[in-house]
């Protein structure tokens, strides 16, 4: 999973940079939509949507478990049961993929309630990667999942033309970024294009 924020430069506030840092990459939106990046859905914990989604997942798991019992009754190779099991497996996979595009409206982070809605988050969720979910937003569990995914990762690909901005914190960081760009294995034309995309947070805040 890769996460993005759909926030115009003029709306990048101190709240956002304090949460995610003052360095970033700004992609063109059409690159995101072409690569199946999608806006996510924010849910309130006890909302009708949350309850329905939670209950439907619970019922689906119950049906899958009961089907295992029917296999014992009618035989492991019953064709009708195998067909139903295959369809339920596909439905379960689709449900997991949908869950990857859902996030809590707010969450407890470092002892404080944090509003996630202001992030205007978009996500890319690889379809082939096995999904694992945890009932609580636990940082250590998240780190363990990231480790697993990095062992067999999916990839998003982009080139220089897919970028709008390279965002740095201060004007003094621009020269540092230019130095790093010069050491990249790119053509001189691509390096020049990247340099033109550098912008610093201080200038954004002072101009907007």
């Amino acid at each position: 999973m890769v996460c993005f924020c759909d926030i115009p430069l003029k709306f990048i506030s101190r709240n956002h940079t304090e949460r995610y840092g003052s360095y970033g990459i700004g992609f063109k939106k059409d690159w995101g939509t072409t690569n199946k990046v999608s806006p996510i859905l924010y849910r309130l914990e006890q909302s009708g949507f949350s309850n329905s989604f939670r209950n439907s997942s619970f019922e689906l798991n119950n049906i899958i478990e009961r089907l295992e019992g029917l296999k014992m009754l009618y035989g492991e190779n019953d064709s009708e049961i195998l067909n139903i099991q295959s369809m339920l497996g596909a439905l379960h996979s689709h449900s997991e993929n949908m869950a990857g595009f859902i996030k809590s409206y707010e969450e407890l982070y470092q002892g404080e309630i944090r509003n996630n809605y202001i992030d205007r988050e978009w996500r890319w969720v690889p379809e082939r990667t096995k999904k694992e979910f945890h009932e609580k937003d636990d940082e250590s569990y998240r780190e363990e999942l990231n480790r697993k995914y990095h062992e067999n990762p999916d990839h998003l690909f982009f080139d220089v033309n897919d970028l709008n901005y390279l965002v740095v914190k201060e004007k003094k960081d621009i020269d540092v970024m230019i130095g790093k760009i010069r050491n990249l294995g790119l053509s001189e034309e691509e390096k020049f294009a990247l340099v033109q995309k550098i912008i610093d947070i201080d200038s954004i805040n002072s101009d907007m």
Side-chain angles (χ1 to χ4, degrees):
M1 177 188 298
V2 183
C3 303
F4 305 84
C5 291
D6 181 24
I7 301 177
L9 282 181
K10 63 181 179 180
F11 294 136
I12 294 180
S13 65
R14 178 175 298 177
N15 180 65
H16 183 80
T17 55
E18 287 178 350
R19 181 179 296 190
Y20 296 108
S22 300
Y23 302 87
I25 301 175
F27 289 91
K28 296 178 180 178
K29 187 173 287 187
D30 59 358
W31 169 85
T33 55
T34 299
N35 284 279
K36 301 181 180 180
V37 182
S38 173
I40 68 168
L41 178 65
Y42 292 92
R43 65 175 183 85
L44 290 169
E45 184 58 35
Q46 297 302 324
S47 66
F49 171 80
S50 291
N51 292 333
S52 294
F53 191 83
R54 188 183 301 111
N55 290 338
S56 63
S57 299
F58 178 77
E59 293 298 338
L60 178 58
N61 288 329
N62 277 345
I63 294 172
I64 293 174
E65 290 178 5
R66 292 186 66 180
L67 194 62
E68 288 296 321
L70 291 176
K71 286 172 63 177
M72 295 178 64
L73 181 62
Y74 293 100
E76 291 282 338
N77 298 316
D78 184 271
S79 60
E80 188 63 23
I81 290 179
L82 290 175
N83 286 336
I84 295 174
Q85 187 176 40
S86 177
M87 289 186 289
L88 287 173
L91 181 58
H92 188 265
S93 179
H94 292 316
S95 297
E96 286 186 331
N97 198 59
M98 289 173 57
F101 292 96
I102 300 172
K103 186 175 185 177
S104 295
Y105 175 80
E106 58 186 14
E107 63 185 356
L108 184 64
Y109 181 75
Q110 295 183 348
E112 297 182 356
I113 297 296
R114 183 170 77 171
N115 186 311
N116 292 319
Y117 187 69
I118 61 175
D119 292 342
R120 297 172 59 170
E121 185 175 337
W122 288 46
R123 285 181 182 173
W124 175 76
V125 179
E127 295 179 2
R128 74 174 182 85
T129 301
K130 184 181 185 316
K131 313 299 188 303
E132 294 186 44
F133 298 97
H134 196 269
E135 62 182 8
K136 294 183 178 180
D137 189 10
D138 183 85
E139 188 66 27
S140 61
Y141 185 77
R142 184 184 302 174
E143 291 176 357
E144 175 62 17
L145 287 184
N146 285 336
R147 185 191 64 78
K148 290 181 180 179
Y149 289 150
H150 289 160
E151 291 175 354
N152 183 30
D154 293 274
H155 295 283
L156 272 175
F157 296 96
F158 64 91
D159 60 32
V160 173
N161 294 322
D162 297 318
L163 306 181
N164 269 337
Y165 305 104
L166 296 176
V167 182
V168 297
K169 184 177 182 180
E170 302 170 311
K171 286 186 178 296
K172 66 181 183 180
D173 296 322
I174 294 177
D175 288 337
V176 177
M177 179 63 73
I178 291 174
K180 292 184 179 297
I181 290 173
R182 286 173 177 165
N183 292 325
L184 295 176
L186 302 173
S187 68
E188 291 303 314
E189 181 180 358
E190 289 174 319
K191 292 178 183 179
F192 179 79
L194 279 180
V195 169
Q196 305 309 304
K197 299 174 189 289
I198 302 174
I199 187 169
D200 65 282
I201 292 290
D202 286 347
S203 293
I204 295 173
N205 290 333
S206 63
D207 291 342
M208 301 301 180

